[in-house]
Amino acid sequence: MPIHLNIRLATQDDLTELANLNRLAFSPQQTVEQIKAHWFHNQLDQPGRRRYLAIDLQTNLAVGAYTILDLRVWFMGQTIPATGVAGICVAPHKRGQGISKQLIEHGLNIGHAEHIPLTMLYPFHHGFYRQFGWAWVGQSHQYRISSHHLPLYAQRNNIYPYNPLYRESLTTTYEEAAVSHNGWLHRQDWQWNDCLRCIPGREIYIYRGNPSHYSIEGYVIYQFLAQSNWSVPTVIVQEWVALNMDAYKGILGFFAALRDQVSTIIWNTYPDDLFPNLLMEQRQNPQLQSSPFHFGLTHPLGKIGAGFMWRLVDIFAAMNYRPISQGKAFQITFRVIAPKSSQVPYDPFTVHFSEGRMHRVETSFDSPQITLSLEHLTQLFFGFRRVAQLKWTGELQVEGNENCLSQLDRAWTTSPPFCWDFF
Ligand SMILES: CC(C)(COP(=O)(O)OP(=O)(O)OC[C@H]1O[C@@H](n2cnc3c(N)ncnc32)[C@H](O)[C@@H]1OP(=O)(O)O)[C@@H](O)C(=O)NCCC(=O)NCCS
């Protein structure tokens, strides 16, 4: 029997209950007062966040919560409206009774009602969200490099400490880079406040190719890690932006110049960053303990992070936002298998691809038909996987002229998403 819930927006009066649910789920060693202060700044009404509380109608007690973040995501030079799902939690004594399922469906229904193309989250288990149609699309690379293996580029002389006078210039620099990076968030003021907040151990430096004015061409945000947890002094690079190669070299040269103070630089980045090519040694800091790399005489170089998941919500709204590569016009009918959790099957629909855009047309069974899950459609749509690969693994079936597969591959070619922001 499903638990009957009233899922409603939380108000300031719910702060203690909400903080307690979060404490029990994510940080049971802290007190409710600490969670209220550190996680919520004692305030539930914050811009860009809609916090929901689930009340058990039988007992009138709060048994679950989650938050919707209102986001915009850069994709192929455009920003797409998206929701972020964060902090799903269920009271420990109510787990395994379908409450999170109801919370997730609640969030998806809101997305559908608002014609949101896309929703995003960082999963605690990929498999848990996969059953609701989310797809793994985010991957990050992490290099743990000796500062001695970074070149001492002369451009480091144009690096300066950040101060709030540069805020506007820094945010403009980020947005300028974001236009050509799939998955970066189009940040609002509240997101920038979080990014640029003073935190012990966090430092921000900017690159100014022309020191006579305020425009900046790159910046880096990094955090010193507590030395007790690490054998050697370490900084973790949380975000870097470089609009040109001089700015990029300036940032690397800056870290190289810290070699007497910092031994390891943890460089977080997207998979096709050229970072490993510029190192003097293609290996992780030899001072770090590491498990052996079980493949020939090869040194470990980096790690792969199994990042975030996306899910198409309103597929037709998403089609309006996404440009496609130019090519000969073609048409495909999609049979999308609804996620396991969904109550109703999805109707087939036909899409006409022409002149750089997609148009939904009257459903036609004369066109080639592709059958695949919502998860796989999401992966293809956002460039994380290729049509030919899904055909090969049997995760996609085609009926009719198979030329449509290479046409679709070409139309949806783009680089997979990456994102600096966590929630
Ligand atoms: C994760 C959490 C929210 C799940 O809540 P819940 O109400 O117990 O989950 P549900 O009962 O709704 O389970 C929904 C479905 O997911 C399945 N499921 C539960 N945990 C799972 C897991 N770890 N991996 C895969 N599937 C899982 C259930 O079997 C159920 O499937 P079914 O309907 O086919 O039986 C809850 O355990 C929690 O609060 N954990 C701590 C906080 C946390 O990690 N939140 C996630 C943040 S990303």
Side-chain angles (χ1 to χ4, degrees):
M1 268 289 283
I3 294 191
H4 293 290
L5 300 174
N6 172 22
I7 303 176
R8 61 162 174 80
L9 276 169
T11 66
Q12 187 63 19
D13 292 343
D14 300 313
L15 178 60
T16 301
E17 232 153 355
L18 199 68
N20 193 38
L21 283 167
N22 276 271
R23 181 185 74 81
L24 291 163
F26 300 112
S27 195
Q29 310 263 31
Q30 292 198 60
T31 65
V32 172
E33 291 309 313
Q34 283 172 325
I35 303 269
K36 276 160 80 168
H38 299 152
W39 296 19
F40 296 97
H41 306 291
N42 290 313
Q43 186 60 255
L44 282 194
D45 187 15
Q46 290 168 326
R49 301 170 178 95
R50 288 180 263 173
R51 301 187 193 278
Y52 288 93
L53 201 60
I55 309 292
D56 180 346
L57 284 174
Q58 209 177 15
T59 60
N60 220 20
L61 294 175
V63 291
Y66 82 104
T67 301
I68 291 182
L69 305 173
D70 295 315
L71 308 173
R72 289 194 81 95
V73 175
W74 282 102
F75 197 80
M76 299 192 74
Q78 328 209 355
T79 63
I80 303 182
T83 56
V85 178
I88 296 188
C89 57
V90 171
H93 63 292
K94 290 289 177 187
R95 300 224 176 126
Q97 298 178 52
I99 291 181
S100 76
K101 201 170 165 177
Q102 291 193 52
L103 295 175
I104 291 166
E105 278 161 10
H106 182 261
L108 288 172
N109 288 339
I110 289 176
H112 277 292
E114 295 175 358
H115 300 292
I116 295 292
L118 169 68
T119 182
M120 166 177 183
L121 56 76
Y122 283 89
F124 72 113
H125 282 277
H126 289 82
F128 178 76
Y129 291 105
R130 194 168 284 134
Q131 64 191 328
F132 300 100
W134 265 272
W136 175 42
V137 297
Q139 204 187 90
S140 57
H141 282 193
Q142 185 177 82
Y143 301 93
R144 296 165 177 222
I145 296 303
S146 162
S147 48
H148 290 269
H149 292 162
L150 287 170
L152 260 174
Y153 291 119
Q155 287 89 336
R156 70 183 187 279
N157 296 329
N158 291 332
I159 293 276
Y160 299 87
Y162 168 79
N163 76 54
L165 286 176
Y166 291 110
R167 177 174 165 134
E168 199 184 323
S169 185
L170 185 148
T171 60
T172 308
T173 304
Y174 168 92
E175 290 295 328
E176 204 176 322
V179 179
S180 50
H181 284 93
N182 290 342
W184 291 24
L185 299 189
H186 172 56
R187 291 187 186 140
Q188 308 300 315
D189 261 0
W190 63 273
Q191 289 156 307
W192 278 115
N193 293 343
D194 283 350
C195 289
L196 302 176
R197 197 152 35 98
C198 260
I199 294 179
R202 177 190 279 179
E203 300 293 338
I204 307 175
Y205 280 82
I206 57 174
Y207 180 89
R208 287 163 68 203
N210 181 350
S212 62
H213 52 72
Y214 275 115
S215 80
I216 66 175
E217 289 140 53
Y219 68 89
V220 60
I221 304 176
Y222 66 94
Q223 176 82 34
F224 279 89
L225 289 190
Q227 206 170 327
S228 56
N229 299 335
W230 282 75
S231 51
V232 289
T234 298
V235 298
I236 175 158
V237 176
Q238 293 175 329
E239 175 170 323
W240 62 269
V241 170
L243 295 184
N244 54 46
M245 193 30 84
D246 279 339
Y248 191 80
K249 288 185 173 174
I251 293 169
L252 298 193
F254 166 75
F255 284 119
L258 299 188
R259 56 187 54 183
D260 293 328
Q261 183 190 5
V262 177
S263 170
T264 301
I265 311 294
I266 301 183
W267 182 260
N268 286 302
T269 192
Y270 40 86
D272 61 359
D273 177 15
L274 49 76
F275 180 82
N277 296 293
L278 299 184
L279 298 173
M280 276 121 74
E281 286 295 329
Q282 275 70 34
R283 64 188 296 184
Q284 80 163 35
N285 186 352
Q287 276 182 273
L288 295 176
Q289 281 188 343
S290 75
S291 46
F293 193 78
H294 297 291
F295 188 72
L297 296 169
T298 296
H299 299 297
L301 169 61
K303 291 182 171 221
I304 293 177
F308 54 87
M309 301 179 93
W310 281 4
R311 182 195 193 278
L312 282 164
V313 183
D314 186 327
I315 298 175
F316 306 113
M319 282 177 6
N320 291 335
Y321 282 97
R322 194 207 193 291
I324 57 170
S325 309
Q326 294 283 355
K328 216 172 122 209
F330 64 101
Q331 199 157 296
I332 292 179
T333 296
F334 290 91
R335 291 177 173 278
V336 180
I337 304 161
K340 189 180 105 192
S341 64
S342 179
Q343 314 290 334
V344 283
Y346 294 170
D347 291 331
F349 57 90
T350 303
V351 180
H352 186 73
F353 296 74
S354 72
E355 295 176 3
R357 307 295 317 182
M358 286 176 270
H359 307 274
R360 186 182 184 189
V361 293
E362 199 179 324
T363 305
S364 146
F365 298 103
D366 297 332
S367 313
Q369 293 171 45
I370 286 183
T371 304
L372 78 180
S373 66
L374 180 63
E375 176 199 349
H376 293 129
L377 180 68
T378 301
Q379 288 185 318
L380 289 181
F381 194 91
F382 293 112
F384 189 69
R385 292 182 71 187
R386 307 299 306 257
V387 178
Q389 185 196 67
L390 290 182
K391 168 79 170 45
W392 196 64
T393 54
E395 292 165 301
L396 166 156
Q397 282 84 41
V398 60
E399 273 174 62
N401 188 344
E402 292 206 1
N403 283 344
C404 70
L405 297 181
S406 52
Q407 288 172 310
L408 187 58
D409 245 344
R410 194 175 50 248
W412 279 353
T413 295
T414 189
S415 37
F418 171 85
C419 184
W420 297 109
D421 299 69
F422 294 96
F423 46 83

